[in-house]
Structures are given as structure tokens and as C-alpha cells.
Amino acid sequence: GEDVEQSLFLSVREGDSSVINCTYTDSSSTYLYWYKQEPGAGLQLLTYIFSNMDMKQDQRLTVLLNKKDKHLSLRIADTQTGDSAIYFCAESKDSNYQLIWGAGTKLIIKP
Amino acid sequence: EAGVAQSPRYKIIEKRQSVAFWCNPISGHATLYWYQQILGQGPKLLIQFQNNGVVDDSQLPKDRFSAERLKGVDSTLKIQPAKLEDSAVYLCASSSDPTNTQYFGPGTRLTVL
């Protein structure tokens, strides 16, 4: 079936690294995405990775993809208060360009 | 490049009333999506357009929801009559094939009393 799972909450100290995890079920997914949603705002695309890649780095963000285990992670280095948000993982199905979404992980930053 | 525009940003109505939301996608994006996001959940796809044609509306409650994209650019989503459970944020997104990277508008927060 189609399912994307994420932990609901993650709490980290300011300055530490945050690692948000996601598991998906459809091995035919072509792209996997991370979106950020701040309170009262829409969804902001953070980064995406093509399914034939293992890793993608973009400034403080590192995405790791383990296709064998269907596991995706987002690492945020040097976490800041501005990183407080809900982070959504999504997978794209090549057949109809639709996204299957996780329920989101709320990142809480402790001072 | 201008992003996806949506209006209004907020709307409060009473149950059984009707409401309409408007979306203007990023210029040149052929695919447009409407999502419903209930508090604490991920977005749920309501309808997907490719230009002015409907690709998928399987999760659109067609007894009360309707959507159109007449000229293949702007789109409107209508609810008539609204129910309490329609309270949610309605998100519009657009993409240009083939990567399917979807870009979202700020959303319309609907409260049904």
C-alpha cells in the first residue's frame, strides 16, 4: 500500500544537528521531497532527491536515501530557532506525478 | 519569478454557506493541485489539473466541492454548502513536468462555524 511514515515530534538543542527520519513503501518512487511548514504558512520546498542518488547536500541540509530500506532522512546542521517548523516527507509516483505525504515531524528547538 | 498566489488568506463562514477560493499558479506551470490540510495532518489531494483538464478528482467530495481551471491558468475551488468538518487550510500548488516539484501558495485558512 501507499504509506509514508514520520515521527510526530523531534526536540533538539540549538546548535546541535537535527535528524528527521521518514520511511516509505513504494519502491517505484522517482523523487523524494522534504518540505517545511512554518505556523500559518504554506509548504516551502526545502530539497529533493532523485531515487538513483544516495545523498544530497545543500548548505546546512543533508539528505540521505537508503533505497533498500526505503528510508529517507534530513539532517539539519547547527539547528537554529528559525528552523522550528513542521517538516514533511513526500514521495512522488512517476505514473501520475502525485505526491504521497507523511503526517509531518514537528521540530522543537530548545535553547 | 512570482510564486503561487492564493486568496483570500482567511475566511470564516457559517455551516451551509458557500465559499470560493482562488489560485494563480506560477507562470508556465501546466499542472495545478488543490489540497486540503486539516490541523496536525499532511496535505490531502483534492484535485489535480493538467492545463484545463482534470487528471484526478477521486478524493474530491463532489456533492459539495467543485473546482475549475477554465483557461488552463487560474483556478477556483468552491464549497457549497460548507460543513463543520471542512474547516482546514486549502493549499494550491503548481508544477511543471517532468520533475513534478510542487510549489505551494500560502493557503487559505477556512473556519466553518
Side-chain angles (χ1 to χ4, degrees):
Chain A
E2 301 175 345
D3 209 1
V4 175
E5 295 189 354
Q6 303 178 239
S7 299
L8 290 182
F9 298 97
L10 176 67
S11 179
V12 298
R13 291 203 177 279
E14 189 175 358
D16 287 351
S17 291
S18 306
V19 180
I20 303 170
N21 295 302
C22 168
T23 57
Y24 61 99
T25 56
D26 192 341
S27 57
S28 68
S29 294
T30 51
Y31 290 94
L32 295 120
Y33 298 84
W34 285 105
Y35 283 84
K36 176 183 181 183
Q37 188 173 38
E38 296 181 83
L43 289 151
Q44 174 195 352
L45 176 67
L46 279 181
T47 186
Y48 64 90
I49 188 167
F50 191 49
S51 58
N52 68 353
M53 298 169 63
D54 298 324
M55 186 182 87
K56 182 178 180 181
Q57 188 151 4
D58 183 3
Q59 299 182 340
R60 292 191 298 124
L61 305 179
T62 303
V63 178
L64 295 178
L65 176 60
N66 181 329
K67 204 170 178 184
K68 173 177 166 288
D69 295 338
K70 300 188 185 71
H71 183 265
L72 182 74
S73 68
L74 174 70
R75 178 177 179 269
I76 305 172
D78 187 25
T79 307
Q80 303 298 309
T81 55
D83 295 324
S84 291
I86 300 175
Y87 291 81
F88 290 91
C89 166
E91 58 173 336
S92 173
K93 300 175 74 64
D94 196 30
S95 57
N96 58 15
Y97 298 126
Q98 290 180 8
L99 296 183
I100 310 300
W101 295 84
T105 299
K106 184 170 185 176
L107 179 61
I108 300 163
I109 315 299
K110 295 182 288 188
Chain B
E1 180 181 74
V4 177
Q6 288 188 249
S7 68
R9 290 296 314 276
Y10 305 93
K11 190 74 177 178
I12 301 173
I13 61 173
E14 295 189 348
K15 60 183 179 184
R16 290 187 289 273
Q17 286 188 321
S18 59
V19 64
F21 313 127
W22 173 82
C23 173
N24 187 312
I26 292 173
S27 177
H29 281 195
T31 310
L32 185 147
Y33 308 80
W34 282 103
Y35 289 91
Q36 179 192 60
Q37 187 180 24
I38 291 172
L39 189 65
Q41 298 181 16
K44 170 190 165 186
L45 179 68
L46 292 175
I47 189 167
Q48 176 186 352
F49 290 97
Q50 180 79 10
N51 297 308
N52 61 351
V54 175
V55 174
D56 186 351
D57 63 357
S58 58
Q59 297 196 81
L60 187 73
K62 298 181 188 63
D63 57 333
R64 298 184 301 107
F65 286 63
S66 64
E68 59 183 15
R69 194 185 183 199
L70 292 176
K71 295 181 181 177
V73 181
D74 293 8
S75 178
T76 56
L77 176 70
K78 296 178 183 176
I79 308 175
Q80 181 180 11
K83 292 186 175 181
L84 296 175
E85 58 260 36
D86 298 333
S87 293
V89 175
Y90 290 84
L91 296 163
C92 179
S94 69
S95 70
S96 63
D97 301 333
T99 67
N100 186 42
T101 302
Q102 295 184 24
Y103 297 90
F104 284 79
T108 297
R109 182 175 296 277
L110 174 67
T111 303
V112 182
L113 302 176

